Amino acid sequence: MKKHNFSAGPCILPQSVLQKASEAVINFNGLDLSLVEISHRSKDFVEVMETATSLALELLGLENKGYKALFLHGGASLEFLMVAYNLLENKAAYLNTGTWADKAIKEAKLFGELIEVGSSKESNFNYIPKGYSIPTDADYFHCTSNNTIFGTQMQEFPETSVPLVCDMSSDIFSRVLDFSKFDLIYAGAQKNMGPAGTTLVVVKEEILGKVSRTIPSMLDYKVHISKDSMFNTPAVFPVYVSMLTLQWLKDLGGIAEIEKVNNAKADLLYSEIDRNPLFNGFVSNKVDRSKMNATFNLVDSAHQEKFDSLWKNAGVNGLNGHRSVGGYRASMYNALSLESVQVLVNVMQELERNS
Ligand SMILES: *Cc1c(COP(=O)(O)O)cnc(C)c1O
């Protein structure tokens, strides 16, 4: 039986998507060829890329609003650099909410002045800073919507007069937002959309072309837009699987429907963390809790061995916390079912009864 996969990334994908993907690896579209051995310029693959980009825009409600969707290489980590390369002329404002935000800041510093408008670094990123102000002369403001490692999530985004850039790697397509507030969104596929190897970038075209530097072709969003994400060979398999996942989400009823399930999963697990005297949540301010990655600890580490063997025996996978936080992290991405969360909650209750 398939495990209850709480892995933080690469993450769980819908079983039906994995089934279709495995079939396409052997025989794609009845071509008697594998998806991974045909030309990316063939009609069959061009259709995959077009469907994937248009599904992404459709699900986000960003069709016909001046946005382009791209599937690029290099992970979200390359976007830390590309965003600054393409947008940073003088100075940029960043909100430092975790390891990934910190890394984005480090890369952007190579290109100009950097204003850290808020940071929770001093308390190991266990809350989201609020009440910060964004300089009106910044080239853009960058934030991270969900902090995968620490289990915090932004519930509100500032009104900005400057372009709003967001790393949504670990919560894209998980909740309804007014995505038109954002000028550039990026997300590594492997948290909530597909296998590792491709990155979704959704960018409002009008913010591009404003820096004076020369941008190398592979790092230039305008080049990728002009070539429909085919400037070089795209990651055909990750793009295809992402397309299948987006199709799965659309068939379910889109983001609004999956958000209901995600809310139910998060409510179930956080209620247990709060109720069960053996556990503590990591995030200091409950409103900042992530619905994608729940971080928690045992109050008494003497229970660790017992708890670890209980959840492993129940078929739970990927529950260990990140090394910079410790404890446990339950990642509840779109494809994880409410039943899987119930299995984890049962194990937590069993630990309580047996201790
Ligand atoms: C995982 C993650 C990244 C890094 O993604 P890569 O694709 O491995 O470069 C960046 N930001 C966030 C929020 C993440 O969760």
Side-chain angles (χ1 to χ4, degrees), residues 8-9 74-80 99-101 103 144-149 167-171 186-191 196-199 293 329 333:
S77 298
L78 186 63
E79 296 313 308
F80 300 161
T99 306
W100 299 117
K103 289 187 174 178
T144 312
S145 54
N146 184 68
N147 299 283
T148 327
I149 293 174
D167 176 357
M168 289 196 192
S169 291
S170 53
D171 68 352
Y186 62 89
Q190 71 277 13
K191 303 282 166 52
T198 193
T199 317
N293 316 94
R329 170 172 53 168
Y333 297 118

Short mmCIF file of all heavy atoms in Angstrom, two decimals, residues 8-9 74-80 99-101 103 144-149 167-171 186-191 196-199 293 329 333, ligand 1:
data_model
loop_
_atom_site.label_atom_id
_atom_site.label_comp_id
_atom_site.label_asym_id
_atom_site.label_seq_id
_atom_site.Cartn_x
_atom_site.Cartn_y
_atom_site.Cartn_z
N ALA A 8 8.54 16.91 2.61
CA ALA A 8 8.52 18.36 2.36
C ALA A 8 8.87 18.71 0.92
O ALA A 8 8.57 19.79 0.43
CB ALA A 8 9.47 19.07 3.31
N GLY A 9 9.56 17.83 0.24
CA GLY A 9 9.90 18.09 -1.16
C GLY A 9 11.17 17.37 -1.54
O GLY A 9 12.09 17.38 -0.74
N GLY A 74 16.58 25.27 -13.34
CA GLY A 74 17.40 25.88 -12.28
C GLY A 74 16.73 25.99 -10.92
O GLY A 74 17.35 26.46 -9.97
N GLY A 75 15.49 25.56 -10.82
CA GLY A 75 14.82 25.58 -9.53
C GLY A 75 14.48 26.99 -9.06
O GLY A 75 14.84 27.99 -9.72
N ALA A 76 13.83 27.06 -7.92
CA ALA A 76 13.55 28.37 -7.33
C ALA A 76 14.85 29.09 -7.01
O ALA A 76 14.92 30.32 -7.06
CB ALA A 76 12.70 28.20 -6.08
N SER A 77 15.89 28.32 -6.73
CA SER A 77 17.17 28.93 -6.37
C SER A 77 17.74 29.79 -7.50
O SER A 77 18.38 30.81 -7.23
CB SER A 77 18.18 27.85 -5.99
OG SER A 77 17.72 27.14 -4.86
N LEU A 78 17.52 29.39 -8.74
CA LEU A 78 18.00 30.25 -9.83
C LEU A 78 17.15 31.52 -9.93
O LEU A 78 17.64 32.57 -10.32
CB LEU A 78 18.02 29.50 -11.17
CG LEU A 78 18.66 30.30 -12.32
CD1 LEU A 78 20.12 30.61 -12.06
CD2 LEU A 78 18.52 29.57 -13.65
N GLU A 79 15.89 31.41 -9.54
CA GLU A 79 15.03 32.61 -9.57
C GLU A 79 15.51 33.68 -8.58
O GLU A 79 15.31 34.87 -8.81
CB GLU A 79 13.57 32.25 -9.31
CG GLU A 79 12.96 31.36 -10.37
CD GLU A 79 13.25 31.83 -11.79
OE1 GLU A 79 13.00 33.00 -12.10
OE2 GLU A 79 13.77 31.00 -12.58
N PHE A 80 16.13 33.23 -7.47
CA PHE A 80 16.69 34.23 -6.53
C PHE A 80 17.59 35.20 -7.29
O PHE A 80 17.60 36.40 -7.06
CB PHE A 80 17.52 33.55 -5.43
CG PHE A 80 16.77 32.56 -4.57
CD1 PHE A 80 17.47 31.61 -3.82
CD2 PHE A 80 15.39 32.59 -4.48
CE1 PHE A 80 16.80 30.70 -3.02
CE2 PHE A 80 14.71 31.67 -3.67
CZ PHE A 80 15.42 30.73 -2.94
N THR A 99 14.99 30.51 5.63
CA THR A 99 16.22 30.13 4.93
C THR A 99 16.17 30.50 3.45
O THR A 99 17.15 31.00 2.88
CB THR A 99 16.41 28.60 5.04
OG1 THR A 99 16.35 28.25 6.43
CG2 THR A 99 17.73 28.15 4.46
N TRP A 100 15.00 30.28 2.82
CA TRP A 100 14.92 30.55 1.38
C TRP A 100 14.93 32.04 1.11
O TRP A 100 15.58 32.50 0.16
CB TRP A 100 13.68 29.87 0.77
CG TRP A 100 13.72 28.39 0.93
CD1 TRP A 100 12.84 27.62 1.65
CD2 TRP A 100 14.69 27.47 0.40
NE1 TRP A 100 13.22 26.30 1.58
CE2 TRP A 100 14.34 26.18 0.83
CE3 TRP A 100 15.83 27.63 -0.40
CZ2 TRP A 100 15.08 25.04 0.48
CZ3 TRP A 100 16.58 26.50 -0.74
CH2 TRP A 100 16.20 25.22 -0.30
N ALA A 101 14.23 32.80 1.93
CA ALA A 101 14.25 34.26 1.78
C ALA A 101 15.67 34.78 1.97
O ALA A 101 16.14 35.65 1.23
CB ALA A 101 13.30 34.90 2.79
N LYS A 103 18.41 33.24 1.41
CA LYS A 103 19.23 32.93 0.23
C LYS A 103 18.90 33.86 -0.93
O LYS A 103 19.78 34.25 -1.69
CB LYS A 103 19.01 31.46 -0.18
CG LYS A 103 19.64 30.49 0.79
CD LYS A 103 19.57 29.05 0.30
CE LYS A 103 20.34 28.17 1.26
NZ LYS A 103 20.31 26.76 0.93
N THR A 144 8.32 35.70 0.62
CA THR A 144 8.18 34.24 0.48
C THR A 144 6.84 33.89 1.12
O THR A 144 6.65 34.10 2.32
CB THR A 144 9.33 33.53 1.24
OG1 THR A 144 10.57 34.15 0.87
CG2 THR A 144 9.38 32.05 0.93
N SER A 145 5.90 33.39 0.32
CA SER A 145 4.54 33.23 0.85
C SER A 145 4.45 32.14 1.91
O SER A 145 3.68 32.25 2.86
CB SER A 145 3.56 32.92 -0.28
OG SER A 145 4.00 31.81 -1.02
N ASN A 146 5.26 31.10 1.74
CA ASN A 146 5.21 29.98 2.70
C ASN A 146 6.63 29.52 3.00
O ASN A 146 7.39 29.23 2.07
CB ASN A 146 4.39 28.84 2.11
CG ASN A 146 4.21 27.69 3.08
OD1 ASN A 146 3.52 27.82 4.09
ND2 ASN A 146 4.84 26.56 2.79
N ASN A 147 6.96 29.48 4.28
CA ASN A 147 8.31 29.13 4.67
C ASN A 147 8.36 27.65 5.05
O ASN A 147 8.07 27.26 6.19
CB ASN A 147 8.78 30.06 5.79
CG ASN A 147 8.77 31.49 5.30
OD1 ASN A 147 9.66 31.90 4.57
ND2 ASN A 147 7.73 32.25 5.62
N THR A 148 8.71 26.90 4.05
CA THR A 148 8.67 25.44 4.04
C THR A 148 9.37 24.81 5.24
O THR A 148 8.90 23.81 5.79
CB THR A 148 9.36 24.96 2.74
OG1 THR A 148 9.12 25.90 1.72
CG2 THR A 148 8.89 23.60 2.32
N ILE A 149 10.49 25.38 5.62
CA ILE A 149 11.32 24.78 6.67
C ILE A 149 10.76 25.08 8.06
O ILE A 149 10.73 24.21 8.93
CB ILE A 149 12.77 25.30 6.53
CG1 ILE A 149 13.38 24.76 5.22
CG2 ILE A 149 13.61 24.93 7.76
CD1 ILE A 149 14.75 25.29 4.89
N ASP A 167 8.12 34.33 -3.91
CA ASP A 167 8.50 32.92 -4.00
C ASP A 167 7.36 32.12 -3.39
O ASP A 167 7.14 32.12 -2.18
CB ASP A 167 9.81 32.71 -3.21
CG ASP A 167 10.23 31.25 -3.15
OD1 ASP A 167 9.51 30.37 -3.68
OD2 ASP A 167 11.31 30.98 -2.56
N MET A 168 6.59 31.46 -4.26
CA MET A 168 5.45 30.65 -3.80
C MET A 168 5.72 29.17 -3.95
O MET A 168 4.78 28.37 -4.12
CB MET A 168 4.18 31.02 -4.59
CG MET A 168 3.61 32.37 -4.28
SD MET A 168 1.91 32.52 -4.89
CE MET A 168 1.67 34.28 -4.71
N SER A 169 6.99 28.78 -3.88
CA SER A 169 7.35 27.39 -4.17
C SER A 169 6.50 26.38 -3.41
O SER A 169 6.10 25.37 -3.97
CB SER A 169 8.82 27.15 -3.81
OG SER A 169 9.65 27.83 -4.71
N SER A 170 6.25 26.64 -2.13
CA SER A 170 5.62 25.58 -1.35
C SER A 170 4.16 25.82 -1.02
O SER A 170 3.59 25.07 -0.23
CB SER A 170 6.44 25.33 -0.08
OG SER A 170 6.64 26.52 0.63
N ASP A 171 3.53 26.84 -1.62
CA ASP A 171 2.07 26.91 -1.43
C ASP A 171 1.30 27.38 -2.66
O ASP A 171 0.10 27.64 -2.57
CB ASP A 171 1.69 27.73 -0.19
CG ASP A 171 1.98 29.21 -0.32
OD1 ASP A 171 2.63 29.62 -1.30
OD2 ASP A 171 1.54 29.96 0.57
N TYR A 186 7.16 32.93 -8.54
CA TYR A 186 7.90 31.76 -9.01
C TYR A 186 7.76 30.62 -8.03
O TYR A 186 7.48 30.83 -6.84
CB TYR A 186 9.37 32.09 -9.29
CG TYR A 186 10.19 32.56 -8.11
CD1 TYR A 186 10.87 31.66 -7.29
CD2 TYR A 186 10.32 33.92 -7.83
CE1 TYR A 186 11.64 32.11 -6.22
CE2 TYR A 186 11.08 34.37 -6.77
CZ TYR A 186 11.75 33.46 -5.97
OH TYR A 186 12.51 33.90 -4.91
N ALA A 187 7.93 29.41 -8.56
CA ALA A 187 7.75 28.22 -7.72
C ALA A 187 8.49 27.04 -8.33
O ALA A 187 8.23 26.68 -9.48
CB ALA A 187 6.27 27.88 -7.59
N GLY A 188 9.41 26.47 -7.58
CA GLY A 188 10.00 25.20 -7.99
C GLY A 188 8.88 24.16 -8.02
O GLY A 188 8.04 24.13 -7.13
N ALA A 189 8.86 23.32 -9.05
CA ALA A 189 7.72 22.42 -9.23
C ALA A 189 7.56 21.41 -8.11
O ALA A 189 6.45 20.98 -7.80
CB ALA A 189 7.87 21.67 -10.55
N GLN A 190 8.64 21.04 -7.45
CA GLN A 190 8.64 19.81 -6.64
C GLN A 190 7.97 19.92 -5.28
O GLN A 190 8.01 18.98 -4.49
CB GLN A 190 10.07 19.30 -6.47
CG GLN A 190 10.95 20.12 -5.55
CD GLN A 190 11.60 21.33 -6.22
OE1 GLN A 190 11.20 21.70 -7.31
NE2 GLN A 190 12.58 21.94 -5.58
N LYS A 191 7.34 21.07 -4.97
CA LYS A 191 6.64 21.16 -3.70
C LYS A 191 5.15 20.90 -3.88
O LYS A 191 4.54 20.26 -3.06
CB LYS A 191 6.86 22.52 -3.03
CG LYS A 191 8.32 22.87 -2.80
CD LYS A 191 8.93 22.17 -1.59
CE LYS A 191 10.46 22.25 -1.54
NZ LYS A 191 11.02 23.57 -1.67
N ALA A 196 10.88 17.45 -9.43
CA ALA A 196 11.95 18.45 -9.49
C ALA A 196 12.46 18.55 -10.91
O ALA A 196 12.39 17.59 -11.69
CB ALA A 196 13.08 18.04 -8.56
N GLY A 197 12.95 19.73 -11.28
CA GLY A 197 13.55 19.89 -12.60
C GLY A 197 12.95 21.00 -13.43
O GLY A 197 13.48 21.35 -14.47
N THR A 198 11.85 21.55 -12.98
CA THR A 198 11.32 22.72 -13.67
C THR A 198 10.78 23.71 -12.64
O THR A 198 10.46 23.33 -11.51
CB THR A 198 10.25 22.36 -14.72
OG1 THR A 198 10.02 23.51 -15.55
CG2 THR A 198 8.94 21.92 -14.09
N THR A 199 10.71 24.96 -13.04
CA THR A 199 10.24 26.03 -12.17
C THR A 199 9.19 26.82 -12.92
O THR A 199 9.42 27.21 -14.06
CB THR A 199 11.40 27.02 -11.85
OG1 THR A 199 12.56 26.27 -11.56
CG2 THR A 199 11.05 27.92 -10.69
N ASN A 293 2.97 23.19 5.70
CA ASN A 293 4.01 22.52 6.48
C ASN A 293 3.78 22.83 7.96
O ASN A 293 3.94 23.96 8.39
CB ASN A 293 5.41 23.00 6.09
CG ASN A 293 5.60 23.12 4.59
OD1 ASN A 293 5.41 24.19 4.00
ND2 ASN A 293 5.96 22.03 3.94
N ARG A 329 7.99 17.70 11.03
CA ARG A 329 7.33 18.57 10.05
C ARG A 329 6.42 17.70 9.21
O ARG A 329 6.87 16.76 8.55
CB ARG A 329 8.36 19.26 9.18
CG ARG A 329 7.75 19.99 7.98
CD ARG A 329 8.76 20.83 7.22
NE ARG A 329 9.94 20.09 6.82
CZ ARG A 329 10.86 20.52 5.96
NH1 ARG A 329 10.72 21.72 5.44
NH2 ARG A 329 11.90 19.79 5.65
N TYR A 333 0.77 18.87 1.33
CA TYR A 333 0.55 19.48 0.02
C TYR A 333 -0.76 18.97 -0.59
O TYR A 333 -1.38 18.04 -0.08
CB TYR A 333 1.74 19.18 -0.89
CG TYR A 333 3.04 19.80 -0.38
CD1 TYR A 333 4.12 19.01 -0.03
CD2 TYR A 333 3.16 21.18 -0.24
CE1 TYR A 333 5.31 19.58 0.44
CE2 TYR A 333 4.34 21.75 0.22
CZ TYR A 333 5.41 20.95 0.56
OH TYR A 333 6.56 21.51 1.02
C1 LIG B 1 12.34 24.34 -1.79
C2 LIG B 1 12.24 25.79 -1.84
C3 LIG B 1 13.15 26.57 -2.58
C4 LIG B 1 14.30 25.97 -3.33
O1 LIG B 1 13.84 25.34 -4.46
P1 LIG B 1 14.83 24.66 -5.51
O2 LIG B 1 13.88 24.34 -6.61
O3 LIG B 1 15.42 23.45 -4.85
O4 LIG B 1 15.85 25.65 -5.90
C5 LIG B 1 12.97 27.94 -2.60
N1 LIG B 1 11.96 28.53 -1.93
C6 LIG B 1 11.08 27.82 -1.21
C7 LIG B 1 9.98 28.53 -0.48
C8 LIG B 1 11.19 26.43 -1.14
O5 LIG B 1 10.31 25.72 -0.41
#
